[in-house]
Amino acid sequence: MINNALVLIKPDGIRKAIVGNVLTKLSETKLDILGIKIVKVTKNLARQHYQNLKDKPFFENLLNYIQGNIYEIPCNKILAFIYHGENAILRIRDIIGDTNPEKAKPTSIRGAYGRITTNGLFENVIHCSSDLIEAEREIKLWFKPEEILMEIYPTKEIITQEKKRVWL
Ligand code: IDP
Ligand code: MG
């Protein structure tokens, strides 16, 4: 089944300068990329992204982690990708490995590059949507329709009077 997955290279992946390694590993899937962007993550976006984990004891730490605020020199950015193709979610999740980097296969992305911080947070380099429903919710949260190369979900046109910044 063809599906879409939201993939995020989290701030630790950027700080550790392993973006190239991570993308090389993901390219083994031969999946298509339909969207790419660099994003400064606000607390609001972080909270919405991880809304299903809001009752977990590590939730506040997780919000700070995804915003890049847990480091001595903050790294307030992530890279966001939409991968598309046959069983995209399952295949990417297989390559990224277990959520806990200590349990992840050493050859997986999280196994090779992740760590557990001293306060117990799984700092695991990369996010991938867990299922079809989450993928749609997350892609719509991180991307606007015009930032995606294909109309993967139905869209409609509306007229707005939104204030926006344009080139001088
Ligand atoms: P996933 O990223 O493999 O889908 P989720 O359960 O959705 O795993 O958790 C989101 C993120 O929260 C994880 O990637 C990891 O950074 C962190 N996390 C999840 N479970 C734990 C835990 O038990 N202890 C510490 N951090 C965790
Ligand atoms: Mg998840």
Side-chain angles (χ1 to χ4, degrees):
M1 184 188 180
I2 301 274
N3 52 52
N4 303 298
L6 179 84
V7 170
L8 305 175
I9 301 185
K10 299 180 181 180
D12 50 323
I14 296 179
R15 266 180 98 233
K16 288 174 174 167
I18 51 168
V19 170
N21 311 51
V22 170
L23 292 178
T24 300
K25 201 90 180 102
L26 291 175
S27 68
E28 287 171 16
T29 61
K30 309 278 195 294
L31 290 164
D32 214 4
I33 296 177
L34 297 183
I36 301 186
K37 67 202 278 200
I38 186 161
V39 185
K40 182 170 179 191
V41 183
T42 61
K43 185 151 193 185
N44 190 32
L45 177 58
R47 209 182 263 128
Q48 288 188 67
H49 177 71
Y50 282 128
Q51 65 180 28
N52 303 338
L53 299 173
K54 65 178 188 315
D55 298 326
K56 297 281 184 194
F58 55 83
F59 185 61
E60 282 301 318
N61 282 339
L62 180 60
L63 297 186
N64 281 322
Y65 164 40
I66 199 73
Q67 290 178 91
N69 286 339
I70 60 174
Y71 309 111
E72 209 174 354
I73 301 169
C75 178
N76 302 115
K77 49 183 173 267
I78 61 95
L79 292 172
F81 302 84
I82 299 168
Y83 279 85
H84 173 89
E86 191 65 32
N87 288 325
I89 295 175
L90 273 180
R91 286 164 59 205
I92 294 174
R93 286 199 66 105
D94 186 49
I95 283 186
I96 75 178
D98 196 280
T99 306
N100 178 344
E102 248 173 33
K103 289 198 185 143
K105 270 190 291 182
T107 51
S108 67
I109 295 170
R110 287 167 163 179
Y113 302 118
R115 64 171 183 167
I116 303 179
T117 62
T118 42
N119 64 6
L121 189 71
F122 300 163
E123 197 193 62
N124 55 11
V125 179
I126 187 164
H127 165 85
C128 177
S129 314
S130 55
D131 56 57
L132 289 177
I133 291 169
E134 276 298 280
E136 179 171 348
R137 185 187 74 79
E138 293 173 358
I139 288 170
K140 289 178 175 175
L141 177 66
W142 287 84
F143 284 85
K144 298 184 182 126
E146 66 267 24
E147 294 170 332
I148 308 177
L149 289 184
M150 257 168 69
E151 190 171 310
I152 51 178
Y153 306 116
T155 60
K156 63 178 179 186
E157 279 187 325
I158 56 165
I159 295 170
T160 63
Q161 286 184 326
E162 202 184 328
K163 186 163 97 180
K164 63 176 181 184
R165 191 169 291 275
V166 294
W167 299 117
L168 253 184

